[in-house]
Amino acid sequence: MIPGELKRTIILQGMGVSPGIAIGTAHLIRRVDAPISRYQIEDKSLVGEEIRRFRKAIKDSENQLLEIKRKFKDQEGLETLYILDVHIMILRDKMLIRQTIQNIEEKGVNAEWALRMTLDKYREVFSKVDDEYLRERVSDVEYAGQRILRNLAGVHHETVSGIGENAIIIARDLSPADTMQMKVEKIQGFATDMGGKTSHTAIVARAYEIPAVVGLEKVTTEARTGDIVIIDGTAGAVIVNPDPEIVRRYEEKKRHYATIEDSLLKYARKPAVTADKHRVLIGANIEFTEEIASAVQHGTDGIGLYRTEFIYINRDRLPTEEEHFCTYKKVVESKGIRWATIRTFDLGGDKFISDPRLAAEMNPVMGLRAIRFCLREVDLFKVQLRAILRASAYGRTRVLFPMISGMEELLETKRIFNEVKKELKRDGIPYGKDVKIGIMMEVPSAALIAEDLAREVDFFSIGTNDLIQYTLAIDRVNERVSYLYEPLHPAVLKLIRHMVEAGHKAGIEVAMCGEMAGEPVYTMVLLGLGLDELSMNALVIPRIKKIIRAVTMTECRKLVDQVMGFNTASEIEFFVRESMRRKFTDDFEIAD
Ligand code: PEP
Ligand code: MG
């Protein structure tokens, strides 16, 4: 790479075979297949020599595997040793040996070519097998065969060494011998071009609970050793060279994932209804369309927040209307969701963008970002709105405007939105007739005039990440003041209560899509405050549902009444944590 060159973020979709999130540094394992030459053994007296060469290569291969097994037998899991045994059995397979020798004798070809013919025959036979597990065992035959071929070619070295800490192993495919030689403790994740659910990489990854995505087709060409890589083994996605903002989001997801136990997944399929029959809607926050399937699996009712600015990563030019449209259509059409909330660009601030129109600013989070930027760059905004409206013809769509700080901004935004609708109508382009308009409630000024804003929209979605930042004057990404970032600060709670009441008075739904909505310890408080929808990182949904189903609205409201009696954030935090711990003994730690 040229020094100073910006590395492009690349997102790849494969098959998630071992769940979880890993963030680490790529370590590429390049396995070069042994070269296969083809020549005729013209001199019949040399056929015997060729067969001996083949037998020796088999013996050498077997000895190498036995050596690896011996070296690692105390360190590794049984599963891997077992697969190594399978490879040794393949090397001893009479059919494989006999068929190859027959090829040498009858076709007069060299050992490499004779073996290749045998391996191809195996591949053909295996490909016809119905059973997926058995079908994939052809890769074991191939590994064993490659080892023999390497020995025939005189290439002996094992390929895996020098793996650093926090490594994400990237390979075309991994053989058991490869994984056996890796220090598993150092490995954070696996990403391979090839493979399926029962491939060796998948089995090993699951056995060691290491997130893995296989079948990525081109991860070895897209990633280089040293690149930062995120593996989302749950969604089956791999992100190479993520933007710091994406890393931040995935660190958050990782934290949530760590708290999820399998036993909670049974709550995924149950509705979020309190013990006294109050229904709360559950949304998922997504950044990529690839996450939708996992959100549905974790029990979401709908997409509560699609952060469309993530479309921008990977690009040095703006997406076309068609590109926007295809993405949004995919989202709204997704199976298993009842609605999709598409938030218009929230660019600027801490959000990546190389667009020169977003010049560097002294205080970017309070600068030309989100709706302010869109109202300045109306043409760009209209392209996105047209695409959202066109996609709305294919599924229930809600459009959400970020960072609204006052009435003028909202009215101007609505004016542009209606203008786009009219243009579509004029051009005979279909769009959904019932697209709901909502605004992010994340600026204190908007919270304070919630009554007025509520009359102009169909729903509110409270963005606590920014709301807390602006209310408490705490930079949300500055570690040095993070101790002051207090979701239960009385000022924040009062603003939330005010927005919910104003929204309900106007007859609209009030959602919350900031991180606070996905913090289990706050769930009872949020129910007591009257939120209609909680939208969160999908991985945490089962845990939140478990809490909702175990409580009554009466006790949640009582908790809020008690909480509102305190005047410091730390008292409230302590009280809420203690209450949650008493009610859910195993799920919460003792408050300090
Ligand atoms: C928020 O501010 O709470 C929010 C959900 O939006 P973002 O994190 O994208 O700013
Ligand atoms: Mg925000």
Side-chain angles (χ1 to χ4, degrees), residues 249 305 307 309 343 346 350-351 369-370 402-403 440 442 463-467 469-470 476 513-514:
R249 300 255 174 238
L305 173 65
R307 292 180 161 106
E309 57 275 9
R343 182 175 76 181
D346 186 358
D350 57 345
K351 311 282 166 63
R369 64 173 277 205
M403 272 275 285
M440 293 283 295
E442 51 186 349
T464 47
N465 306 344
D466 279 317
L467 182 71
Q469 155 165 274
Y470 295 130
R476 70 193 238 191
C513 62

PDB file of all heavy atoms in Angstrom, residues 249 305 307 309 343 346 350-351 369-370 402-403 440 442 463-467 469-470 476 513-514, ligand 2:
ATOM      1  N   ARG A 249     -19.160   0.415  16.580  1.00  0.00           N
ATOM      2  CA  ARG A 249     -20.466  -0.270  16.593  1.00  0.00           C
ATOM      3  C   ARG A 249     -20.275  -1.762  16.891  1.00  0.00           C
ATOM      4  O   ARG A 249     -21.028  -2.365  17.627  1.00  0.00           O
ATOM      5  CB  ARG A 249     -21.158  -0.155  15.247  1.00  0.00           C
ATOM      6  CG  ARG A 249     -21.425   1.255  14.839  1.00  0.00           C
ATOM      7  CD  ARG A 249     -22.890   1.592  14.992  1.00  0.00           C
ATOM      8  NE  ARG A 249     -23.081   2.985  14.726  1.00  0.00           N
ATOM      9  CZ  ARG A 249     -23.614   3.854  15.567  1.00  0.00           C
ATOM     10  NH1 ARG A 249     -24.022   3.443  16.755  1.00  0.00           N
ATOM     11  NH2 ARG A 249     -23.752   5.111  15.255  1.00  0.00           N
ATOM     12  N   LEU A 305     -34.281   0.989  13.191  1.00  0.00           N
ATOM     13  CA  LEU A 305     -33.334   2.015  12.759  1.00  0.00           C
ATOM     14  C   LEU A 305     -32.377   1.414  11.744  1.00  0.00           C
ATOM     15  O   LEU A 305     -31.598   0.525  12.070  1.00  0.00           O
ATOM     16  CB  LEU A 305     -32.532   2.550  13.954  1.00  0.00           C
ATOM     17  CG  LEU A 305     -31.374   3.508  13.619  1.00  0.00           C
ATOM     18  CD1 LEU A 305     -31.895   4.799  13.006  1.00  0.00           C
ATOM     19  CD2 LEU A 305     -30.554   3.836  14.874  1.00  0.00           C
ATOM     20  N   ARG A 307     -29.376   2.667   9.675  1.00  0.00           N
ATOM     21  CA  ARG A 307     -28.481   3.828   9.560  1.00  0.00           C
ATOM     22  C   ARG A 307     -27.919   3.878   8.136  1.00  0.00           C
ATOM     23  O   ARG A 307     -26.879   3.303   7.840  1.00  0.00           O
ATOM     24  CB  ARG A 307     -27.331   3.699  10.564  1.00  0.00           C
ATOM     25  CG  ARG A 307     -27.762   3.811  12.027  1.00  0.00           C
ATOM     26  CD  ARG A 307     -26.547   3.678  12.935  1.00  0.00           C
ATOM     27  NE  ARG A 307     -26.774   4.189  14.267  1.00  0.00           N
ATOM     28  CZ  ARG A 307     -26.940   3.442  15.352  1.00  0.00           C
ATOM     29  NH1 ARG A 307     -26.931   2.130  15.255  1.00  0.00           N
ATOM     30  NH2 ARG A 307     -27.114   4.003  16.525  1.00  0.00           N
ATOM     31  N   GLU A 309     -26.357   5.947   6.392  1.00  0.00           N
ATOM     32  CA  GLU A 309     -25.065   6.564   6.060  1.00  0.00           C
ATOM     33  C   GLU A 309     -23.987   5.505   5.841  1.00  0.00           C
ATOM     34  O   GLU A 309     -22.955   5.763   5.219  1.00  0.00           O
ATOM     35  CB  GLU A 309     -24.617   7.562   7.136  1.00  0.00           C
ATOM     36  CG  GLU A 309     -24.492   7.041   8.553  1.00  0.00           C
ATOM     37  CD  GLU A 309     -25.808   7.064   9.309  1.00  0.00           C
ATOM     38  OE1 GLU A 309     -26.848   7.321   8.680  1.00  0.00           O
ATOM     39  OE2 GLU A 309     -25.810   6.813  10.533  1.00  0.00           O
ATOM     40  N   ARG A 343     -33.621   5.562   8.199  1.00  0.00           N
ATOM     41  CA  ARG A 343     -33.214   6.897   8.610  1.00  0.00           C
ATOM     42  C   ARG A 343     -32.415   7.538   7.486  1.00  0.00           C
ATOM     43  O   ARG A 343     -31.511   6.905   6.935  1.00  0.00           O
ATOM     44  CB  ARG A 343     -32.350   6.834   9.871  1.00  0.00           C
ATOM     45  CG  ARG A 343     -31.957   8.227  10.339  1.00  0.00           C
ATOM     46  CD  ARG A 343     -31.213   8.189  11.636  1.00  0.00           C
ATOM     47  NE  ARG A 343     -29.844   7.744  11.461  1.00  0.00           N
ATOM     48  CZ  ARG A 343     -28.987   7.612  12.470  1.00  0.00           C
ATOM     49  NH1 ARG A 343     -29.377   7.876  13.709  1.00  0.00           N
ATOM     50  NH2 ARG A 343     -27.762   7.204  12.254  1.00  0.00           N
ATOM     51  N   ASP A 346     -27.242  10.380   8.215  1.00  0.00           N
ATOM     52  CA  ASP A 346     -26.760  11.107   9.383  1.00  0.00           C
ATOM     53  C   ASP A 346     -25.251  11.229   9.191  1.00  0.00           C
ATOM     54  O   ASP A 346     -24.464  10.586   9.864  1.00  0.00           O
ATOM     55  CB  ASP A 346     -27.102  10.333  10.660  1.00  0.00           C
ATOM     56  CG  ASP A 346     -26.745  11.114  11.910  1.00  0.00           C
ATOM     57  OD1 ASP A 346     -26.196  12.225  11.793  1.00  0.00           O
ATOM     58  OD2 ASP A 346     -27.007  10.608  13.016  1.00  0.00           O
ATOM     59  N   ASP A 350     -19.412  12.311  14.044  1.00  0.00           N
ATOM     60  CA  ASP A 350     -18.487  11.191  14.173  1.00  0.00           C
ATOM     61  C   ASP A 350     -18.685  10.198  13.034  1.00  0.00           C
ATOM     62  O   ASP A 350     -18.092   9.135  13.007  1.00  0.00           O
ATOM     63  CB  ASP A 350     -18.668  10.500  15.529  1.00  0.00           C
ATOM     64  CG  ASP A 350     -20.090  10.015  15.734  1.00  0.00           C
ATOM     65  OD1 ASP A 350     -20.978  10.459  14.984  1.00  0.00           O
ATOM     66  OD2 ASP A 350     -20.306   9.198  16.637  1.00  0.00           O
ATOM     67  N   LYS A 351     -19.559  10.527  12.086  1.00  0.00           N
ATOM     68  CA  LYS A 351     -19.831   9.591  10.993  1.00  0.00           C
ATOM     69  C   LYS A 351     -18.857   9.861   9.855  1.00  0.00           C
ATOM     70  O   LYS A 351     -18.665  11.005   9.448  1.00  0.00           O
ATOM     71  CB  LYS A 351     -21.277   9.758  10.496  1.00  0.00           C
ATOM     72  CG  LYS A 351     -22.319   9.778  11.599  1.00  0.00           C
ATOM     73  CD  LYS A 351     -22.606   8.377  12.102  1.00  0.00           C
ATOM     74  CE  LYS A 351     -23.371   8.387  13.405  1.00  0.00           C
ATOM     75  NZ  LYS A 351     -24.662   8.975  13.365  1.00  0.00           N
ATOM     76  N   ARG A 369     -24.102  18.527  10.119  1.00  0.00           N
ATOM     77  CA  ARG A 369     -24.298  17.083  10.024  1.00  0.00           C
ATOM     78  C   ARG A 369     -25.782  16.750   9.855  1.00  0.00           C
ATOM     79  O   ARG A 369     -26.648  17.617   9.997  1.00  0.00           O
ATOM     80  CB  ARG A 369     -23.731  16.353  11.254  1.00  0.00           C
ATOM     81  CG  ARG A 369     -24.393  16.682  12.559  1.00  0.00           C
ATOM     82  CD  ARG A 369     -23.878  15.793  13.692  1.00  0.00           C
ATOM     83  NE  ARG A 369     -24.553  14.498  13.721  1.00  0.00           N
ATOM     84  CZ  ARG A 369     -24.671  13.750  14.831  1.00  0.00           C
ATOM     85  NH1 ARG A 369     -24.135  14.148  15.970  1.00  0.00           N
ATOM     86  NH2 ARG A 369     -25.310  12.606  14.788  1.00  0.00           N
ATOM     87  N   ALA A 370     -26.026  15.494   9.555  1.00  0.00           N
ATOM     88  CA  ALA A 370     -27.384  14.932   9.488  1.00  0.00           C
ATOM     89  C   ALA A 370     -28.331  15.798   8.661  1.00  0.00           C
ATOM     90  O   ALA A 370     -28.009  16.180   7.548  1.00  0.00           O
ATOM     91  CB  ALA A 370     -27.886  14.698  10.908  1.00  0.00           C
ATOM     92  N   PRO A 402     -32.933  12.499  11.045  1.00  0.00           N
ATOM     93  CA  PRO A 402     -32.060  12.660  12.216  1.00  0.00           C
ATOM     94  C   PRO A 402     -31.783  14.110  12.589  1.00  0.00           C
ATOM     95  O   PRO A 402     -31.813  14.993  11.721  1.00  0.00           O
ATOM     96  CB  PRO A 402     -30.756  11.998  11.747  1.00  0.00           C
ATOM     97  CG  PRO A 402     -30.745  12.199  10.272  1.00  0.00           C
ATOM     98  CD  PRO A 402     -32.179  12.235   9.805  1.00  0.00           C
ATOM     99  N   MET A 403     -31.523  14.340  13.867  1.00  0.00           N
ATOM    100  CA  MET A 403     -30.986  15.624  14.342  1.00  0.00           C
ATOM    101  C   MET A 403     -31.890  16.830  14.123  1.00  0.00           C
ATOM    102  O   MET A 403     -31.410  17.946  13.968  1.00  0.00           O
ATOM    103  CB  MET A 403     -29.652  15.919  13.636  1.00  0.00           C
ATOM    104  CG  MET A 403     -28.456  15.364  14.297  1.00  0.00           C
ATOM    105  SD  MET A 403     -27.807  16.429  15.584  1.00  0.00           S
ATOM    106  CE  MET A 403     -27.023  17.735  14.739  1.00  0.00           C
ATOM    107  N   MET A 440     -35.947  11.777  14.695  1.00  0.00           N
ATOM    108  CA  MET A 440     -35.099  11.387  15.817  1.00  0.00           C
ATOM    109  C   MET A 440     -35.223  12.493  16.848  1.00  0.00           C
ATOM    110  O   MET A 440     -35.067  13.667  16.517  1.00  0.00           O
ATOM    111  CB  MET A 440     -33.634  11.309  15.380  1.00  0.00           C
ATOM    112  CG  MET A 440     -33.287  10.226  14.410  1.00  0.00           C
ATOM    113  SD  MET A 440     -33.162   8.610  15.169  1.00  0.00           S
ATOM    114  CE  MET A 440     -31.766   8.783  16.255  1.00  0.00           C
ATOM    115  N   GLU A 442     -33.260  13.768  19.477  1.00  0.00           N
ATOM    116  CA  GLU A 442     -31.911  13.607  20.026  1.00  0.00           C
ATOM    117  C   GLU A 442     -31.221  14.925  20.323  1.00  0.00           C
ATOM    118  O   GLU A 442     -30.077  14.957  20.735  1.00  0.00           O
ATOM    119  CB  GLU A 442     -31.049  12.745  19.085  1.00  0.00           C
ATOM    120  CG  GLU A 442     -31.036  13.193  17.644  1.00  0.00           C
ATOM    121  CD  GLU A 442     -30.289  12.227  16.732  1.00  0.00           C
ATOM    122  OE1 GLU A 442     -29.596  11.317  17.218  1.00  0.00           O
ATOM    123  OE2 GLU A 442     -30.395  12.399  15.505  1.00  0.00           O
ATOM    124  N   GLY A 463     -33.234   9.249  20.246  1.00  0.00           N
ATOM    125  CA  GLY A 463     -31.838   8.826  20.052  1.00  0.00           C
ATOM    126  C   GLY A 463     -31.041   9.228  21.280  1.00  0.00           C
ATOM    127  O   GLY A 463     -30.508  10.331  21.361  1.00  0.00           O
ATOM    128  N   THR A 464     -30.952   8.305  22.212  1.00  0.00           N
ATOM    129  CA  THR A 464     -30.311   8.668  23.485  1.00  0.00           C
ATOM    130  C   THR A 464     -28.799   8.887  23.353  1.00  0.00           C
ATOM    131  O   THR A 464     -28.218   9.598  24.162  1.00  0.00           O
ATOM    132  CB  THR A 464     -30.556   7.582  24.550  1.00  0.00           C
ATOM    133  OG1 THR A 464     -30.291   6.320  23.946  1.00  0.00           O
ATOM    134  CG2 THR A 464     -31.960   7.639  25.077  1.00  0.00           C
ATOM    135  N   ASN A 465     -28.196   8.281  22.333  1.00  0.00           N
ATOM    136  CA  ASN A 465     -26.742   8.446  22.204  1.00  0.00           C
ATOM    137  C   ASN A 465     -26.409   9.930  22.068  1.00  0.00           C
ATOM    138  O   ASN A 465     -25.522  10.455  22.744  1.00  0.00           O
ATOM    139  CB  ASN A 465     -26.200   7.693  20.992  1.00  0.00           C
ATOM    140  CG  ASN A 465     -26.593   6.233  21.006  1.00  0.00           C
ATOM    141  OD1 ASN A 465     -27.016   5.725  22.044  1.00  0.00           O
ATOM    142  ND2 ASN A 465     -26.482   5.566  19.886  1.00  0.00           N
ATOM    143  N   ASP A 466     -27.127  10.578  21.168  1.00  0.00           N
ATOM    144  CA  ASP A 466     -26.887  12.012  20.992  1.00  0.00           C
ATOM    145  C   ASP A 466     -27.597  12.835  22.054  1.00  0.00           C
ATOM    146  O   ASP A 466     -27.068  13.847  22.521  1.00  0.00           O
ATOM    147  CB  ASP A 466     -27.327  12.447  19.588  1.00  0.00           C
ATOM    148  CG  ASP A 466     -26.261  12.108  18.564  1.00  0.00           C
ATOM    149  OD1 ASP A 466     -25.079  12.327  18.848  1.00  0.00           O
ATOM    150  OD2 ASP A 466     -26.619  11.604  17.487  1.00  0.00           O
ATOM    151  N   LEU A 467     -28.788  12.404  22.431  1.00  0.00           N
ATOM    152  CA  LEU A 467     -29.535  13.198  23.425  1.00  0.00           C
ATOM    153  C   LEU A 467     -28.712  13.376  24.712  1.00  0.00           C
ATOM    154  O   LEU A 467     -28.627  14.469  25.268  1.00  0.00           O
ATOM    155  CB  LEU A 467     -30.874  12.513  23.756  1.00  0.00           C
ATOM    156  CG  LEU A 467     -31.750  13.292  24.737  1.00  0.00           C
ATOM    157  CD1 LEU A 467     -32.328  14.547  24.075  1.00  0.00           C
ATOM    158  CD2 LEU A 467     -32.895  12.419  25.267  1.00  0.00           C
ATOM    159  N   GLN A 469     -25.458  13.056  24.961  1.00  0.00           N
ATOM    160  CA  GLN A 469     -24.281  13.858  24.601  1.00  0.00           C
ATOM    161  C   GLN A 469     -24.594  15.353  24.653  1.00  0.00           C
ATOM    162  O   GLN A 469     -23.855  16.143  25.230  1.00  0.00           O
ATOM    163  CB  GLN A 469     -23.827  13.438  23.206  1.00  0.00           C
ATOM    164  CG  GLN A 469     -23.056  14.466  22.434  1.00  0.00           C
ATOM    165  CD  GLN A 469     -22.338  13.858  21.226  1.00  0.00           C
ATOM    166  OE1 GLN A 469     -21.230  13.355  21.347  1.00  0.00           O
ATOM    167  NE2 GLN A 469     -22.975  13.915  20.075  1.00  0.00           N
ATOM    168  N   TYR A 470     -25.723  15.723  24.042  1.00  0.00           N
ATOM    169  CA  TYR A 470     -26.039  17.151  23.978  1.00  0.00           C
ATOM    170  C   TYR A 470     -26.602  17.684  25.299  1.00  0.00           C
ATOM    171  O   TYR A 470     -26.357  18.814  25.680  1.00  0.00           O
ATOM    172  CB  TYR A 470     -27.041  17.425  22.844  1.00  0.00           C
ATOM    173  CG  TYR A 470     -26.486  17.130  21.475  1.00  0.00           C
ATOM    174  CD1 TYR A 470     -27.192  16.345  20.569  1.00  0.00           C
ATOM    175  CD2 TYR A 470     -25.241  17.639  21.079  1.00  0.00           C
ATOM    176  CE1 TYR A 470     -26.687  16.070  19.304  1.00  0.00           C
ATOM    177  CE2 TYR A 470     -24.729  17.362  19.817  1.00  0.00           C
ATOM    178  CZ  TYR A 470     -25.460  16.576  18.935  1.00  0.00           C
ATOM    179  OH  TYR A 470     -24.950  16.308  17.688  1.00  0.00           O
ATOM    180  N   ARG A 476     -19.616  11.947  23.194  1.00  0.00           N
ATOM    181  CA  ARG A 476     -19.903  10.517  23.374  1.00  0.00           C
ATOM    182  C   ARG A 476     -18.749   9.598  22.994  1.00  0.00           C
ATOM    183  O   ARG A 476     -18.765   8.413  23.314  1.00  0.00           O
ATOM    184  CB  ARG A 476     -21.188  10.111  22.641  1.00  0.00           C
ATOM    185  CG  ARG A 476     -21.084  10.123  21.140  1.00  0.00           C
ATOM    186  CD  ARG A 476     -22.460  10.013  20.505  1.00  0.00           C
ATOM    187  NE  ARG A 476     -22.577   8.867  19.622  1.00  0.00           N
ATOM    188  CZ  ARG A 476     -23.588   8.663  18.793  1.00  0.00           C
ATOM    189  NH1 ARG A 476     -24.605   9.499  18.768  1.00  0.00           N
ATOM    190  NH2 ARG A 476     -23.630   7.617  18.021  1.00  0.00           N
ATOM    191  N   CYS A 513     -34.335   4.428  20.029  1.00  0.00           N
ATOM    192  CA  CYS A 513     -33.398   3.606  19.257  1.00  0.00           C
ATOM    193  C   CYS A 513     -31.940   3.835  19.662  1.00  0.00           C
ATOM    194  O   CYS A 513     -31.032   3.302  19.031  1.00  0.00           O
ATOM    195  CB  CYS A 513     -33.577   3.840  17.763  1.00  0.00           C
ATOM    196  SG  CYS A 513     -33.230   5.530  17.277  1.00  0.00           S
ATOM    197  N   GLY A 514     -31.693   4.621  20.701  1.00  0.00           N
ATOM    198  CA  GLY A 514     -30.319   4.791  21.186  1.00  0.00           C
ATOM    199  C   GLY A 514     -29.897   3.536  21.945  1.00  0.00           C
ATOM    200  O   GLY A 514     -30.729   2.664  22.243  1.00  0.00           O
TER     201      GLY A 514
HETATM  202 MG    MG B   2     -27.894  10.162  16.765  1.00  0.00          MG
END
